[in-house]
Amino acid sequence: MSKSIINKQVLMNGITVAKAGTSYSTARRFWDCDGSVAVLIASTAGSITVSQQCSIDNISWFDPITATEAIGVVDTDITVTTGIYVAYTPVLADYIRFKVVEANIAETIVTLTLVYLAAV
């Protein structure tokens, strides 16, 4: 009989994202995720979009897409928040990281905590 456990990992801890800039979280191996995922996002200013990127080797990174549209977007137009908890459908991959893009409003400091269910 399998069990599941909730795991939490801070992948971006107080990282400054420049006005109109892009920053990336720490990568993590994602083999243990069972498909249930959320991200706790905190930011200080500006407006950000957060999306998941995928890799098979932890070197080359991709913005996942289907034949007709982009996928992997966690949330868009996130403004100042002390914490917003966003559940999203993960793109399963060997490794994941998050891309944070600031929409040319203001420099912001971002913290991202991945929360996911893992089969054990």
Side-chain angles (χ1 to χ4, degrees):
M1 186 171 185
S2 67
K3 296 190 313 182
S4 296
I5 186 169
I6 294 176
N7 287 320
K8 294 178 218 126
Q9 184 175 2
V10 176
L11 295 180
M12 188 176 247
N13 192 8
I15 301 298
T16 300
V17 181
K19 181 179 178 181
T22 301
S23 290
Y24 301 92
S25 75
T26 301
R28 78 165 319 278
R29 188 136 171 92
F30 209 46
W31 59 269
D32 56 345
C33 178
D34 82 348
S36 300
V37 181
V39 179
L40 177 60
I41 303 167
S43 63
T44 60
S47 177
I48 59 173
T49 294
V50 177
S51 59
Q52 177 187 321
Q53 288 194 308
C54 301
S55 175
I56 59 171
D57 58 9
N58 202 20
I59 297 169
S60 301
W61 290 93
F62 305 94
D63 292 315
I65 61 169
T66 65
T68 58
E69 64 183 296
I71 59 173
V73 174
V74 174
D75 204 352
T76 60
D77 301 323
I78 302 167
T79 55
V80 177
T81 179
T82 56
I84 182 172
Y85 195 78
V86 181
Y88 76 101
T89 302
V91 178
L92 297 179
D94 292 326
Y95 296 89
I96 67 162
R97 71 178 181 184
F98 293 95
K99 178 168 77 172
V100 178
V101 179
E102 201 290 316
N104 201 23
I105 306 295
E107 177 180 277
T108 187
I109 298 171
V110 177
T111 298
L112 298 177
T113 303
L114 179 68
V115 181
Y116 65 99
L117 199 57
V120 290

